Amino acid sequence: MRETSLSAAHVLLDGALRPATITIRDGRVSALAEGADPSADVAVDADTYVLPGIVDTHVHVNEPGRTAWEGFATATEAAARGGVTTVVDMPLNSIPATTTPDALALKRGRAAGQVRVDTGFWGGAVPDNLGSLEGLQDEGVFGFKCFLVDSGVPEFAPLDRDQLHAAMREVGGFDGLLIVHAEDPAVIAAAPSPPSRAYADFVASRPDAAEVAAIATVIDAVREHGTRTHLLHLSSARALDLIADARAEGLPLTVETCPHYLVLDAASVPDGAAEFVCCPPIRDRGNQDALWDALVHGVIDCVVSDHSPSTAAEKTRGGGDLQQAWGGIAGLQVGFVAVADAALRRGVGIERVSAWMSAAPARVATVRGKGAIAVGHDADLVLWAPGASYEVHADALAHKNKLTAYDGLTLHGRVTRTLLRGEPVFDAATGGVPTAPTGRLLRR
């Protein structure tokens, strides 16, 4: 039985920073004591905070099939370097997509022995596997992702309205979770989409109305079937009133947004800058302010990366025509610090940031033993130095492909160590990660 202790003047416990000593036994928090203990095995510097490890439930690892875009080794190293101790992998853009138990087994086989942080998996709900989703549920996926619009890859087809209702009935029948990319295909088809290098033209091709219409469709289905449902990567603040009304009604609906919507704004995107292209798009500063307000008031539950990289060739396809660029932001390694920096500028404390990026994603996806420093939980910890700062250099990121919308940003705050079940998986002082990956594969 291995036991160790860690003590710090600023430990985030029950939503507040306080002096505390954490005892860790066999990878779990076995005791918490008030007050810092200088004789602990690890005494953390007084200017460093100890927070729960970040839980990122929206990561596209892409392995197998599109491993040139990203992979378990590179993605989970990036996670560890960014303070993320748990990721849940999306069912696309891997080939095969995670829509059958056999595909899930293949993905788990590829991940085994590669992951540096704990890693779980979403299943997919597509037209071809409706009626057989419970097999994936039984194999331990955390829920089922569906699209209401073209996903961008042919092996993951969207659901129409009738298929959405069928998925809701099926998933609700075994008390599963349906997670939805909510953009309306008819609205997008009617929007202007000329070849253009201007980001404003790209935003106009994925208008607010597409999110609002699709979210209204989802809410109607949730009302009819009562299925636990999660809205992915909310971009448009114009849908917030619909969401707030649905939640006030008591519907089992949760919502996420992403660091890029909270940190970046459309007006600052240079022409032809494909690294900023994502679906739904980054919108204007007023929209961003409204998303922050919704987080503070609990209308949005959590913040996750939607890390969706591709090769440079895919990202820059079209030579600057943003309509042809792969839609996805690479930000797994920097998302937490970017949000913490933006929150500081708005007078929002790290306690709230941790709740949105650790406790809430763990709660929404039911990732047990994660998201808080608490007795019985895994001792997943991130040491964060709020007084430090650094400039993001894309080439220095662990992501397999280095193109990122965060390149060149100066961020205040820095991850100095990441601990997975009490053991370091990243240490800035040594500049690296352990030789042997120690992450585990998670089941719901």
Side-chain angles (χ1 to χ4, degrees):
M1 183 177 295
R2 174 175 167 74
E3 183 172 289
T4 188
S5 58
L6 180 147
S7 182
H10 306 282
V11 180
L12 186 57
L13 300 174
D14 298 324
L17 290 164
R18 63 189 73 172
T21 300
I22 305 167
T23 301
I24 301 165
R25 180 178 297 170
D26 293 337
R28 293 188 175 182
V29 177
S30 61
L32 293 167
E34 292 187 10
D37 180 359
S39 68
D41 297 309
V42 178
V44 176
D45 293 342
D47 57 356
T48 299
Y49 295 177
V50 180
L51 311 172
I54 301 304
V55 177
D56 193 338
T57 54
H58 196 146
V59 179
H60 293 268
V61 177
N62 304 329
E63 185 175 0
R66 290 191 176 91
T67 312
W69 295 20
E70 189 64 281
F72 287 106
T74 48
T76 59
E77 179 176 342
R81 290 178 177 274
V84 178
T85 52
T86 303
V87 301
V88 186
D89 170 61
M90 282 291 165
L92 72 162
N93 304 298
S94 56
I95 304 174
T98 315
T99 56
T100 67
D102 286 347
L104 175 62
L106 175 62
K107 182 171 280 196
R108 282 185 170 139
R110 292 293 184 91
Q114 289 202 75
V115 295
R116 295 189 176 276
V117 302
D118 287 355
T119 302
F121 302 92
W122 296 106
V126 297
D128 288 347
N129 74 345
L130 295 182
S132 59
L133 298 178
E134 194 165 5
L136 277 166
Q137 176 85 351
D138 291 343
E139 289 299 318
V141 297
F142 284 86
F144 299 87
K145 180 175 186 176
C146 68
F147 276 75
L148 304 187
V149 69
D150 182 6
S151 71
V153 293
E155 62 275 359
F156 204 94
L159 304 182
D160 63 22
R161 184 187 180 282
D162 289 343
Q163 291 164 341
L164 172 66
H165 280 260
M168 286 259 184
R169 283 192 297 271
E170 184 176 359
V171 172
F174 51 74
D175 193 29
L177 174 66
L178 189 69
I179 65 175
V180 186
H181 180 127
E183 289 181 285
D184 186 279
V187 174
I188 289 176
S193 56
S196 176
R197 294 174 55 84
Y199 199 76
D201 289 340
F202 176 73
V203 174
S205 75
R206 315 286 297 212
D208 295 89
E211 284 191 83
V212 173
I215 288 169
T217 297
V218 171
I219 289 171
D220 285 344
V222 174
R223 184 178 292 113
E224 180 172 341
H225 302 290
T227 304
R228 292 188 297 121
T229 302
H230 181 67
L231 293 173
L232 299 166
H233 46 51
L234 180 70
S235 158
S236 176
R238 294 188 185 179
L240 289 169
D241 286 345
L242 273 175
I243 293 166
D245 289 347
R247 291 165 69 99
E249 187 181 334
L251 298 183
L253 185 71
T254 53
V255 188
E256 70 184 35
T257 191
C258 305
H260 39 278
Y261 302 132
L262 300 172
V263 174
L264 309 170
D265 68 272
S268 63
V269 177
D271 287 348
E275 60 268 32
F276 292 85
V277 171
C278 57
C279 301
I282 297 163
R283 303 190 190 275
D284 60 72
R285 182 64 63 86
N287 183 87
Q288 182 185 96
D289 291 342
L291 293 178
W292 275 100
D293 188 64
L295 274 166
V296 168
H297 289 93
V299 179
I300 298 174
D301 297 270
C302 53
V303 181
V304 291
S305 71
D306 190 8
H307 177 69
S308 186
S310 70
T311 61
E314 286 291 325
K315 198 65 179 161
T316 59
R317 185 177 52 199
D321 174 10
L322 300 184
Q323 290 295 337
Q324 298 187 50
W326 173 257
I329 300 288
L332 178 57
Q333 186 168 330
V334 297
F336 162 60
V337 177
V339 173
D341 171 78
L344 177 66
R345 299 172 191 271
R346 292 172 178 269
V348 176
I350 194 65
E351 302 91 337
R352 302 297 299 274
V353 174
S354 177
W356 299 329
M357 301 190 76
S358 188
R363 182 183 70 250
V364 166
T366 320
V367 188
R368 301 192 188 282
K370 308 290 188 181
I373 302 172
V375 172
H377 276 50
D378 290 343
D380 297 349
L381 308 172
V382 55
L383 275 58
W384 181 70
S389 63
Y390 77 107
E391 184 175 333
V392 178
H393 294 289
D395 288 347
L397 298 176
H399 307 160
K400 182 170 288 185
N401 290 285
K402 309 302 184 182
L403 199 63
T404 177
Y406 298 99
D407 188 36
L409 289 186
T410 297
L411 302 177
H412 298 279
R414 187 162 197 172
V415 173
T416 60
R417 292 185 86 194
T418 305
L419 306 180
L420 181 68
R421 293 185 300 279
E423 298 296 331
V425 290
F426 168 67
D427 190 338
T430 62
V433 296
T435 302
T438 58
R440 294 178 181 173
L441 303 185
L442 303 177
R443 293 174 180 257
R444 176 189 39 80

